[in-house]
Amino acid sequence: MKKILLSAMISLLTLTANAQLVPLDYEGRDSAYVENIKGRAQKIVDGLQLTDQKQARAVRNIIANRYFQLPTG
């Protein structure tokens, strides 16, 4: 969890510099699983209290994409 948050913070700094959209890697995934992961990621983003919604969505997607990369099982 700490690694995910650290990655998100580093990515947030990068986004602040160039404010680009980060796509959510949802293709080929079960929609219920994607919604679950987006919810988990959003809880983390809410704690960061970001005021820029575009940045907040990008950070949420970064965190969610990291969750997707975690091994399952």
Side-chain angles (χ1 to χ4, degrees):
M1 182 70 160
K2 289 182 181 181
K3 286 184 179 182
I4 293 172
L5 187 56
L6 180 59
S7 293
M9 293 303 293
I10 291 169
S11 297
L12 175 61
L13 294 174
T14 303
L15 286 171
T16 302
N18 53 14
Q20 60 186 349
L21 179 63
V22 176
L24 182 64
D25 184 20
Y26 66 89
E27 289 191 37
R29 302 183 193 281
D30 179 83
S31 60
Y33 175 67
V34 171
E35 289 304 313
N36 182 290
I37 294 302
K38 282 172 50 180
R40 291 178 184 203
Q42 189 62 50
K43 286 181 184 178
I44 295 168
V45 173
D46 290 345
L48 297 174
Q49 298 179 343
L50 302 174
T51 57
D52 183 322
Q53 292 305 310
K54 189 174 179 180
Q55 259 186 358
R57 176 174 279 196
V59 173
R60 187 213 53 203
N61 288 353
I62 290 167
I63 295 169
N65 289 340
R66 297 289 188 257
Y67 267 114
F68 292 143
Q69 293 173 353
L70 292 174
T72 58

